[in-house]
Amino acid sequence: MTATYDEISQMLIDLTAILEIDEAESYDEELSWAIAFDGDPAVELALDYDEETGKLFMTSLVGSAPREKVLETYRYLLEYNQFWADTGGARMALDSESEEVLLIGDCVLADLTVETLGATIAAFLVIHRTQQLILMKGIGSGGATPDEAGPMPGHIIA
């Protein structure tokens, strides 16, 4: 059974305390949600319901590449994307307007439960915060290396 937009809205309400959601707003016409999480730094997550593909897409802005390490960072992002099978499909791109790194993930709507949605969002947040630390430290000489992050964070697809 495929989870509906209304069912996911209820699941997000049920997950508010568990995931420490600070704010959540739904956009019924766009079939999407904006969620803010407390933390240092705080994380904002967009969720988009796509019935046609049967997926819930998650996106978050991770940060900008340091100007002096743009090429190294972009190379890292491309290399990271090749590990999609190890990250449960997590991938990174550049937001065309802000030039910030965008983390993208998705989960299948079929048989989605509050538990699997919660685990999927929690894993996505771990990947987000890990990549944010790597970007802040900088890639390449004198900065972070992909190996310093340890193994790629776990799967995010439910």
Side-chain angles (χ1 to χ4, degrees):
M1 182 171 142
T2 299
T4 66
Y5 175 79
D6 290 334
E7 289 171 334
I8 293 173
S9 291
Q10 184 59 52
M11 289 180 200
L12 292 171
I13 291 169
D14 295 343
L15 290 169
T16 299
I18 297 166
L19 294 177
E20 298 178 11
I21 295 174
D22 187 41
E23 291 181 49
E25 190 164 342
S26 63
Y27 301 94
D28 296 341
E29 290 182 17
E30 291 86 20
L31 300 178
S32 64
W33 303 265
I35 303 172
F37 297 88
D38 283 335
D40 185 25
V43 177
E44 292 182 13
L45 175 64
L47 298 173
D48 294 293
Y49 182 86
D50 189 351
E51 187 173 21
E52 187 175 314
T53 62
K55 292 184 178 183
L56 181 66
F57 291 95
M58 300 172 285
T59 57
S60 63
L61 291 173
V62 178
S64 297
R67 285 286 167 213
E68 66 279 2
K69 296 186 179 189
V70 169
L71 292 178
E72 294 94 335
T73 301
Y74 292 174
R75 179 183 173 122
Y76 167 73
L77 296 178
L78 289 170
E79 290 174 353
Y80 180 88
N81 286 340
Q82 78 177 333
F83 293 105
W84 61 270
D86 296 327
T87 64
R91 55 230 181 255
M92 293 192 281
L94 289 178
D95 181 85
S96 59
E97 292 179 20
S98 69
E99 294 188 11
E100 283 190 71
V101 173
L102 183 67
L103 179 63
I104 305 163
D106 52 71
C107 68
V108 178
L109 295 171
D111 300 321
L112 187 65
T113 66
V114 68
E115 291 82 13
T116 56
L117 179 59
T120 300
I121 292 172
F124 188 85
L125 292 172
V126 168
I127 294 170
H128 172 96
R129 290 188 170 117
T130 301
Q131 296 307 320
Q132 195 169 46
L133 288 172
I134 290 170
L135 278 180
M136 287 183 343
K137 193 171 182 183
I139 303 294
S141 171
T145 64
D147 293 337
E148 288 179 319
M152 292 295 161
H155 292 282
I156 63 167
I157 293 180

